[in-house]
Amino acid sequence: MPYPTQLGLQDATSPIMEELMYFHDHTLMIVFLISSLVLYVLLLMLTTKLTHTSTMDAQEVETIWTIMPAVILVLIALPSLRILYMMDEIFNPYITVKAIGHQWYWSYEYTDYDNLSFDSYMVPTQDLLPGQFRLLEVDNRMVLPMELPIRMLISSEDVLHAWAVPSLGLKADAVPGRLNQATLTSTRPGVYYGQCSEICGSNHSFMPIVLEMTTLKYFVKWSWLMQ
């Protein structure tokens, strides 16, 4: 969950999100150094007397300012590609869950079970219990086991949606007639919130996502009760 006046990203709950946060900090430092260098050069030009204004040949300088941007781009691209392949890798998932976007709610199907599916609607403000979050709480949470690889299949039944949970580093488009795939693994138990991240109509702001990550023992008990 984000908190008031928060400036950074939400706390990472999955290994993928931890890698994304490291990459964010890595890229931010490169941007900070480039911005500092440009500001320093601008200040020098404004505060020092210009000399050698008639110089027409500067091979060394041209070589440096051609090679340096290429090196910087490589330093950004290599870790970016590594994380990209990590996000697409799905190895022996424990269960598969299909999330289907509707106007304006989500439905979930646990494909490894014969009869385990439900709709998830936002809880209206007047029905909230003490401690629940406005515009984020749902009547049926999606329950998943922690510390196990989970495969998510994401689609839509009407218009474009996007299934996004920031603390897990997940965001996948829900496209009608198409299945998008994502993987998630939570390193600790908890309740994690997300929202539709694609403008999908008048009630776009009212279709939240709630994941409850629990122990495997509790998940098995919950799945039997839900069937």
Side-chain angles (χ1 to χ4, degrees):
M1 275 292 295
Y3 53 85
T5 70
Q6 178 177 341
L7 296 178
L9 302 172
Q10 294 185 26
D11 292 338
T13 309
S14 68
I16 292 295
M17 188 58 191
E18 291 179 1
E19 293 289 338
L20 289 171
M21 291 178 70
Y22 294 146
F23 177 68
H24 169 268
D25 296 340
H26 167 75
T27 309
L28 194 63
M29 285 306 301
I30 293 177
V31 172
F32 174 75
L33 292 174
I34 293 173
S35 302
S36 300
L37 177 62
V38 172
L39 180 61
Y40 174 70
V41 172
L42 286 174
L43 290 175
L44 284 182
M45 292 178 65
L46 292 173
T47 57
T48 60
K49 185 177 180 181
L50 296 177
T51 57
H52 303 290
T53 55
S54 60
T55 301
M56 300 297 292
D57 188 21
Q59 294 292 336
E60 295 82 3
V61 176
E62 291 182 3
T63 302
I64 292 173
W65 72 39
T66 301
I67 293 177
M68 284 301 293
V71 173
I72 292 171
L73 289 175
V74 169
L75 292 176
I76 295 175
L78 291 180
S80 175
L81 290 172
R82 173 177 169 270
I83 297 173
L84 186 64
Y85 280 102
M86 288 174 60
M87 294 175 69
D88 285 339
E89 183 70 25
I90 297 180
F91 177 74
N92 194 22
Y94 178 73
I95 58 172
T96 300
V97 182
K98 186 177 181 181
I100 304 175
H102 308 265
Q103 288 181 310
W104 286 272
Y105 64 96
W106 293 97
S107 61
Y108 299 103
E109 300 176 6
Y110 289 69
T111 58
D112 299 281
Y113 295 82
D114 293 333
N115 188 26
L116 181 50
S117 61
F118 53 87
D119 297 331
S120 181
Y121 289 86
M122 187 194 76
V123 176
T125 304
Q126 63 271 18
D127 297 334
L128 289 174
L129 299 175
Q132 291 184 332
F133 299 103
R134 177 178 173 270
L135 301 183
L136 286 178
E137 199 58 62
V138 297
D139 55 356
N140 290 311
R141 294 175 175 178
M142 186 172 74
V143 179
L144 293 172
M146 66 176 188
E147 296 181 338
L148 290 171
I150 311 296
R151 174 167 52 198
M152 293 296 305
L153 299 177
I154 300 155
S155 186
S156 172
E157 200 174 64
D158 36 50
V159 298
L160 290 175
H161 300 280
W163 200 81
V165 184
S167 58
L168 289 169
L170 279 177
K171 183 177 180 182
D173 286 337
V175 182
R178 173 175 176 173
L179 278 179
N180 283 332
Q181 184 173 262
T183 181
L184 67 92
T185 303
S186 176
T187 55
R188 60 178 183 269
V191 179
Y192 306 104
Y193 295 88
Q195 289 179 301
C196 176
S197 298
E198 188 78 45
I199 297 177
C200 55
S202 59
N203 289 337
H204 158 68
S205 303
F206 308 112
M207 49 184 303
I209 301 159
V210 182
L211 271 66
E212 186 175 344
M213 308 301 295
T214 66
T215 61
L216 181 59
K217 182 179 179 180
Y218 179 86
F219 170 76
V220 172
K221 184 185 299 184
W222 173 85
S223 63
W224 280 107
L225 291 174
M226 290 291 291
Q227 290 187 84

